[in-house]
Amino acid sequence: MSRAARTDEKWSARSPPNGAKPAPVFADKIAYISFLESQLEKTTSALAAASSFEERLNAIGEVVEDVNARMINTAKVLKLVQSFADNQEEENMQMKERVRSLATKLESSQDPLQAY
């Protein structure tokens, strides 16, 4: 079989049934370009959405870091307040003991005076 005959068979197999004219190749190209444009639009919108989500996640990450820093600072302040309260309690106990000691000394020093 000659090359021309094989080409004729190839094209005849591709031709539509009932002797209808095949669609021009130009129409297929336009349809394909239209398809590619729609895919490009979908991809672009998906990329924009992903970018928007990325910005939101970055903003949330910054807020989380800020809250974390505040929590650490609050914990430090609470430790300082607790330490201060413990020191105050210890000083109060020492002052109470000193007042009792002074009161005892005063009472003991007044007892001899009352005898007179």
Side-chain angles (χ1 to χ4, degrees):
M1 185 177 270
S2 71
R3 186 174 184 182
R6 284 189 303 227
T7 304
D8 286 342
E9 283 181 24
K10 187 177 175 182
W11 284 104
S12 65
R14 290 185 181 176
S15 63
N18 300 330
K21 291 185 179 180
V25 176
F26 184 70
D28 289 341
K29 287 182 181 178
I30 291 174
Y32 184 64
I33 289 171
S34 175
F35 168 75
L36 289 177
E37 286 175 346
S38 69
Q39 292 299 316
L40 180 62
E41 288 175 6
K42 288 179 183 179
T43 303
T44 303
S45 67
L47 179 62
S51 177
S52 173
F53 287 133
E54 181 182 12
E55 289 173 4
R56 289 179 187 171
L57 284 174
N58 288 338
I60 290 171
E62 289 173 5
V63 169
V64 167
E65 288 177 10
D66 185 43
V67 168
N68 190 27
R70 288 182 183 186
M71 292 284 289
I72 290 170
N73 288 337
T74 302
K76 288 178 183 178
V77 168
L78 285 173
K79 285 181 183 178
L80 288 172
V81 167
Q82 183 64 42
S83 174
F84 177 76
D86 291 343
N87 288 340
Q88 285 297 105
E89 184 177 356
E90 186 177 322
E91 287 178 14
N92 285 345
M93 294 295 281
Q94 289 173 354
M95 289 184 78
K96 283 181 183 178
E97 189 62 37
R98 188 162 183 222
V99 167
R100 284 185 192 140
S101 172
L102 289 174
T104 305
K105 285 182 183 178
L106 182 63
E107 287 176 4
S108 65
S109 67
Q110 286 180 355
D111 282 341
L113 293 176
Q114 288 179 358
Y116 292 110

